[in-house]
Amino acid sequence: MNEEKNEELNGNNEDGLSIREICHIIGKKIWYVLAGALLAAIAAVLIFMFALNPAKKYDSMSFQIDFPMSTERKYPDGSMFDYRDMVSRSVIEGAKNNSEYKDEFASLNVDKIMKDGAVSISARKTSDSSDASYVYTVSLKSSYFSGIDSEKFILALAESFSSFIEQKAKGLDYRLEEEIFRNASFKDQLTLLVEQKSVILKQYDDWIKEYNPGYVVKGKSLGSYRMEVATMLADNVKTPLENDLSIRGYEYFNSFVTAEEVGRRVKQLQEDLKRNKAILSELKSYYTEVSSQSRNRATTFAASDDGSDSSNNNGGSIIIMPGDSDLSQKMAYYGERVAIIQQQIVYLSDEPSADETTDFETHDFAAMAEEIKTFGKNFESQFNILNGRAETLRSVVSAIYRENTVVTFDSREVSSSGGTSIVIVGVGVFVVAFLVFALIAFLVGKKNLKSAKTAPVKTENTDAQNTENKE
């Protein structure tokens, strides 16, 4: 009984080996055990690092982006802002072609990245308020960016999106369409020019409200840019043009006018003059009649309310009731119409006196057509200048977006997620491999130890047999 207890204290097991002997057996092979465990750990680390982990690992960086109108969630062209545009094909291609990293990113396959969703983005609101800003997190699937610095690519992606916003500003067009403008009548051309001026001024007013009149863009203040537009088509320019259109009868022409068109217009004016004179004559007759008789009857005049040109007249009637206070105004209006139409006939025919009875069948209107074309150069000049101002506005707006689009990163450190920790893999495999190799070393050592113990016994038996044989 005491011997069994002593054996237990000495660590003897059923095979007759003590713990000390086991440790001794393993200790003889410790360097092999350590080397094997280390090699296994290194192999596991490499496999996880380059094969298993990249397929599951994501590299992420978070940032905020601010640009004019970003609080309204709109792009420069007025379209709604969508943060997913940051990982759109055009933006990713822009990042790949970044001049600073172009060679480093050359191996990226944008088609595969887009197809497999290897670049993703999420948005997080910083607070519950309506005007709260957003934090955007871009994540890269590591297996698609092997050998590429994730931080550099995300920086390039943010830069590409800034350019994406600026391109939308560059795409703004405040110009008048040349074909539409040139085909319009001079009257409509003037209207288009006035409207374009108002549009440009409003844009500058909006930017001045956002910043201030002294805000400098491309070496000049916003106030100065606005003043350049405000002085165009001022009253001293606009009023004479309007008067020439009305008095000379150029309203319905444009720079493509022909002699035949001028002749047709004169004939039309003769018809209008005849009609308006008839209306005026009846008004005067009625005025004389109601002045001497009872005003208890109504008189109907077959004419339009405003005395417009016959080309736009669809018929109608003017009804004057007895005691109508507008009678004098109507007479004055038609009297003025008669004078203007007569004056237009004189100007367009280039005759000292002309009316509805003048015969223009053989009249040559070629010289007048050329004169009208020369007059049209006033509008062409204003058109070219205003379109130049519109181009300047586009350049200014583009510069404002370029200078005020700011990307702010929470941290320049890349955050990795997914996959398995390389440290855990290395340590875990090393421990397991150490135990396995230690077990192998023990088994091999134990076998050798048994062989060593049985060898002398066999030798003694053989010697005894040899002695007996000799005897």
Side-chain angles (χ1 to χ4, degrees):
M1 186 73 174
N2 292 333
E3 289 179 358
E4 290 179 359
K5 289 184 178 181
N6 289 335
E7 287 179 357
E8 290 176 2
L9 291 174
N10 289 330
N12 290 342
N13 58 24
E14 60 182 359
D15 291 331
L17 292 175
S18 65
I19 294 176
R20 185 179 302 171
E21 288 175 320
I22 293 173
C23 293
H24 180 70
I25 291 171
I26 296 174
K28 288 181 177 181
K29 306 291 184 179
I30 191 62
W31 294 113
Y32 295 101
V33 172
L34 290 174
L38 184 60
L39 288 174
I42 293 174
V45 166
L46 292 176
I47 291 172
F48 272 83
M49 183 180 295
F50 297 105
L52 301 180
N53 265 1
K56 300 178 180 179
K57 181 184 173 186
Y58 286 86
D59 290 335
S60 305
M61 288 181 70
S62 297
F63 58 87
Q64 290 179 283
I65 183 164
D66 295 301
F67 57 91
M69 294 179 70
S70 61
T71 55
E72 300 177 24
R73 312 290 293 169
K74 289 183 178 180
Y75 285 121
D77 59 3
S79 60
M80 293 305 297
F81 171 79
D82 188 346
Y83 71 90
R84 287 167 294 192
D85 288 334
M86 296 185 204
V87 293
S88 63
R89 175 179 288 273
S90 61
V91 174
I92 291 176
E93 287 179 342
K96 177 184 176 180
N97 297 323
N98 185 289
S99 57
E100 187 175 352
Y101 309 116
K102 190 172 183 178
D103 293 337
E104 184 176 344
F105 298 160
S107 62
L108 287 176
N109 187 332
V110 177
D111 289 334
K112 190 169 179 58
I113 288 173
M114 295 302 301
K115 180 180 178 181
D116 298 341
V119 180
S120 58
I121 188 169
S122 61
R124 175 176 55 83
K125 204 172 183 180
T126 56
S127 68
D128 294 331
S129 63
S130 58
D131 59 346
S133 59
Y134 285 79
V135 175
Y136 305 103
T137 301
V138 171
S139 300
L140 310 180
K141 202 169 185 179
S142 301
S143 57
Y144 291 78
F145 294 86
S146 178
I148 292 175
D149 190 325
S150 297
E151 177 187 353
K152 290 181 180 178
F153 185 80
I154 295 176
L155 290 174
L157 196 70
E159 184 178 334
S160 178
F161 185 64
S162 297
S163 299
F164 173 84
I165 294 173
E166 184 185 347
Q167 286 302 316
K168 283 190 174 289
K170 287 182 177 180
L172 296 172
D173 195 351
Y174 304 99
R175 297 173 302 171
L176 283 173
E177 182 66 38
E178 184 173 358
E179 183 178 356
I180 294 175
F181 178 81
R182 296 194 186 285
N183 288 327
S185 67
F186 291 141
K187 181 180 179 180
D188 290 337
Q189 285 183 4
L190 183 58
T191 300
L192 290 171
L193 290 171
V194 171
E195 288 176 352
Q196 185 192 27
K197 175 184 174 181
S198 298
V199 168
I200 296 174
L201 286 176
K202 184 179 184 307
Q203 288 295 314
Y204 280 121
D205 289 340
D206 289 344
W207 288 116
I208 288 172
K209 182 179 179 180
E210 182 74 16
Y211 296 98
N212 60 71
Y215 184 80
V216 177
V217 182
K218 302 182 70 173
K220 190 184 296 185
S221 69
L222 289 175
S224 297
Y225 285 117
R226 188 190 186 284
M227 186 61 66
E228 290 176 346
V229 179
T231 54
M232 292 191 61
L233 280 177
D235 289 342
N236 62 337
V237 175
K238 179 185 173 185
T239 302
L241 289 175
E242 289 175 330
N243 290 338
D244 283 343
L245 289 176
S246 176
I247 295 172
R248 295 178 181 272
Y250 295 166
E251 294 173 301
Y252 302 101
F253 297 118
N254 58 30
S255 295
F256 302 113
V257 64
T258 63
E260 290 76 13
E261 289 176 329
V262 178
R264 287 195 296 270
R265 178 60 182 164
V266 170
K267 288 183 180 180
Q268 187 182 70
L269 287 171
Q270 286 181 302
E271 293 295 326
D272 290 340
L273 180 59
K274 183 179 179 179
R275 182 172 57 85
N276 280 273
K277 278 187 174 182
I279 294 173
L280 181 61
S281 177
E282 289 195 42
L283 284 171
K284 288 180 178 179
S285 296
Y286 179 75
Y287 182 77
T288 301
E289 182 180 348
V290 297
S291 296
S292 58
Q293 300 177 4
S294 173
R295 301 180 180 182
N296 292 323
R297 65 185 180 87
T299 303
T300 301
F301 295 90
S304 64
D305 280 340
D306 57 359
S308 59
D309 295 336
S310 60
S311 59
N312 297 320
N313 182 33
N314 295 319
S317 61
I318 299 176
I319 300 177
I320 304 176
M321 300 299 295
D324 192 343
S325 61
D326 291 337
L327 181 58
S328 297
Q329 294 179 6
K330 291 181 185 294
M331 290 173 59
Y333 172 78
Y334 281 103
E336 184 180 0
R337 284 293 301 159
V338 166
I340 291 174
I341 294 172
Q342 177 120 23
Q343 192 174 39
Q344 288 179 347
I345 294 173
V346 169
Y347 271 113
L348 291 176
S349 64
D350 200 22
E351 293 289 342
S353 62
D355 57 22
E356 73 277 13
T357 63
T358 306
D359 185 6
F360 292 110
E361 289 297 328
T362 59
H363 192 84
D364 186 4
F365 291 99
M368 180 52 60
E370 292 303 316
E371 183 177 326
I372 293 173
K373 289 179 181 179
T374 300
F375 172 78
K377 292 180 179 179
N378 293 307
F379 294 94
E380 290 185 15
S381 175
Q382 294 296 318
F383 169 80
N384 292 330
I385 295 173
L386 258 180
N387 265 4
R389 297 287 185 260
E391 279 295 305
T392 299
L393 172 60
R394 175 162 62 175
S395 177
V396 168
V397 172
S398 175
I400 289 175
Y401 274 94
R402 182 173 59 253
E403 294 170 4
N404 294 278
T405 299
V406 180
V407 178
T408 307
F409 283 85
D410 291 349
S411 172
R412 286 298 182 92
E413 293 184 4
V414 176
S415 174
S416 297
S417 60
T420 306
S421 170
I422 299 301
V423 174
I424 294 175
V425 169
V427 173
V429 171
F430 180 84
V431 171
V432 172
F434 180 86
L435 294 175
V436 170
F437 282 110
L439 178 59
I440 293 172
F442 168 72
L443 294 175
V444 172
K446 178 183 176 183
K447 184 177 180 181
N448 292 338
L449 182 61
K450 283 185 175 181
S451 299
K453 285 184 176 181
T454 57
V457 174
K458 291 180 180 179
T459 303
E460 290 176 359
N461 293 335
T462 303
D463 291 342
Q465 291 176 358
N466 290 336
T467 304
E468 290 179 356
N469 291 335
K470 284 181 182 181
E471 292 178 351

